[in-house]
Amino acid sequence: MNLTANDIFSVKSTDEFNALALSIFKLQAQNCNIYREYIFHLGVDADEVSEIAGIPFLPISFFKSHSILSSTDPVEITFSSSGTTGMVQSSHHVTDVKLYEQSYLQAFAQFYGDITEYCFLALLPSYQQRAGSSLIYMVNDLIEKSRHPQSGYFLYNHDELLKALLDLKSKKQKTVLIGVTYALLDFIEQFEIDFPELIVMETGGMKGKRKEMVREELHEQLTKGFGVNAIHSEYGMTELLSQAYSLGEGIFNCPSWMQVLIRDTNDPLSLIENGRTGGINVIDLANLNSCSFIATQDLGRINPDHSFEVLGRFDNADIRGCNLLVQ
């Protein structure tokens, strides 16, 4: 079966998503060596899996120790995770970077509309100062495709960022400011601005620069500092080629080719019903050439309307099953 980007990004219904997810599972169970071994060690027969609830999710930590590939095509780009010195980084080998590009461009359009209507500002010092960031790859492209002369990065030059924001506000220009959490806080400690139409999108993480804060406190400070009603967020990671977005209150929604499920923390191979807290499993159909079924180390819950919240991370990073393929 030859699946294309059009198959993935044209998904419109739950039935279409489920059918495509099962097709991709069968292909990856056959063609991804690590995933095939993992499924075998779990005692699961891929041919017998007939619904999403029966699909095993690969622990995300495997991206630190193995090459997760379902394609024999040459790797076009490798994205790597951030980490402190000495930490093992995750590596996501991507054989078709156009899948990633189509994923973030179509997702932005789905949640926010036409990118060419926006000025795109980025405050991402930690990401800019290292190689291999999938977030920087995306932001570079969004800046370029916005075609706005003031779109660009602001490393630590907060004076220039303030000047740009005030100018864009005066022009009533649609503007997105995407920033790593600690850098946004650094800015509002120096300056306050009242720009209600501004979309402030935090990417999470203090990167060891500040003490971690609960979301409510963080967003309260940021809404006051930027003069906005809500703080937006994106939920993505090195090991995925798709992102979910929150337009406020930490409530995330997925694009149509991505889905979040919640697993039981005591029985990681079992899913639990909406409303209960557990481990976040992600189905990312755009991960066609690696693995689309990832068990993350995040805790969360799904709401009745199928939106989800991220509530924290596992205290113990190891997820049961990770030791099955130690080499």
Side-chain angles (χ1 to χ4, degrees):
M1 186 178 190
N2 224 351
L3 294 173
T4 66
N6 189 56
D7 294 318
I8 293 165
F9 300 116
S10 62
V11 166
K12 294 284 192 297
S13 68
T14 301
D15 287 345
E16 284 181 19
F17 181 94
N18 291 348
L20 187 56
L22 285 167
S23 295
I24 290 174
F25 166 66
K26 299 291 170 68
L27 286 172
Q28 292 180 342
Q30 184 176 1
N31 296 320
C32 179
N33 292 337
I34 299 303
Y35 192 37
R36 184 175 65 246
E37 287 183 49
Y38 180 66
I39 292 166
F40 172 77
H41 281 289
L42 292 177
V44 173
D45 183 346
D47 292 331
E48 297 296 315
V49 175
S50 59
E51 57 183 9
I52 281 179
I55 294 176
F57 285 76
L58 187 71
I60 199 167
S61 57
F62 280 3
F63 282 83
K64 292 182 176 180
S65 54
H66 300 79
S67 291
I68 312 298
L69 284 165
S70 295
S71 170
T72 56
D73 292 339
V75 173
E76 292 183 351
I77 191 168
T78 298
F79 294 125
S80 59
S81 63
S82 57
T84 56
T85 304
M87 280 181 62
V88 179
Q89 294 178 314
S90 290
S91 294
H92 190 180
H93 305 294
V94 180
T95 61
D96 184 1
V97 77
K98 286 194 173 3
L99 283 170
Y100 182 43
E101 292 169 358
Q102 188 166 348
S103 177
Y104 61 67
L105 289 171
Q106 199 162 314
F108 187 90
Q110 185 173 322
F111 287 99
Y112 295 102
D114 185 350
I115 183 65
T116 61
E117 295 179 0
Y118 289 87
C119 178
F120 213 90
L121 310 179
L123 191 58
L124 299 164
S126 297
Y127 293 93
Q128 262 185 283
Q129 293 166 306
R130 70 175 185 84
S133 166
S134 57
L135 177 64
I136 292 295
Y137 187 98
M138 176 180 79
V139 171
N140 283 343
D141 202 28
L142 292 174
I143 286 171
E144 182 183 339
K145 287 190 166 62
S146 72
R147 297 184 196 143
H148 194 283
Q150 288 173 275
S151 287
Y153 288 95
F154 297 82
L155 194 57
Y156 296 107
N157 41 344
H158 292 171
D159 291 336
E160 288 181 35
L161 176 56
L162 177 67
K163 184 179 175 184
L165 288 170
L166 290 171
D167 187 45
L168 293 162
K169 179 189 174 184
S170 71
K171 294 174 180 172
K172 297 185 167 26
Q173 168 64 51
K174 286 185 179 180
T175 304
V176 174
L177 171 62
I178 183 167
V180 64
T181 306
Y182 79 84
L184 293 172
L185 288 169
D186 286 349
F187 176 81
I188 62 168
E189 282 185 358
Q190 193 174 0
F191 301 108
E192 275 198 16
I193 184 170
D194 184 27
F195 191 170
E197 298 78 21
L198 177 66
I199 294 171
V200 179
M201 186 181 297
E202 56 104 357
T203 64
M206 294 297 187
K207 305 295 179 191
K209 306 283 186 180
R210 284 172 172 260
K211 185 180 176 184
E212 293 291 339
M213 298 166 64
V214 296
R215 178 186 55 77
E216 289 81 3
E217 181 187 0
L218 168 65
H219 284 200
E220 183 183 348
Q221 288 189 27
L222 292 176
T223 53
K224 182 174 181 292
F226 287 101
V228 295
N229 294 322
I231 300 299
H232 296 225
S233 306
E234 64 99 33
Y235 180 75
M237 55 195 72
T238 300
E239 300 84 358
L240 303 177
L241 294 184
S242 300
Q243 303 85 26
Y245 286 97
S246 165
L247 307 190
E249 305 297 328
I251 308 295
F252 289 89
N253 284 282
C254 294
S256 54
W257 56 91
M258 177 184 180
Q259 190 178 123
V260 161
L261 305 169
I262 304 296
R263 68 181 181 274
D264 191 330
T265 52
N266 296 314
D267 181 9
L269 302 179
S270 299
L271 301 177
I272 57 176
E273 66 269 19
N274 292 355
R276 289 181 57 200
T277 298
I280 292 179
N281 286 354
V282 177
I283 301 177
D284 180 7
L285 300 185
N287 268 18
L288 181 63
N289 298 324
S290 54
C291 182
S292 291
F293 311 94
I294 306 297
T296 77
Q297 291 170 350
D298 294 326
L299 290 167
R301 66 169 169 253
I302 297 175
N303 299 316
D305 63 356
H306 302 295
S307 64
F308 71 97
E309 298 171 64
V310 182
L311 303 173
R313 287 176 66 79
F314 282 91
D315 289 333
N316 298 316
D318 288 332
I319 299 172
R320 200 184 82 189
C322 292
N323 61 343
L324 291 175
L325 292 176
V326 173
Q327 293 182 353

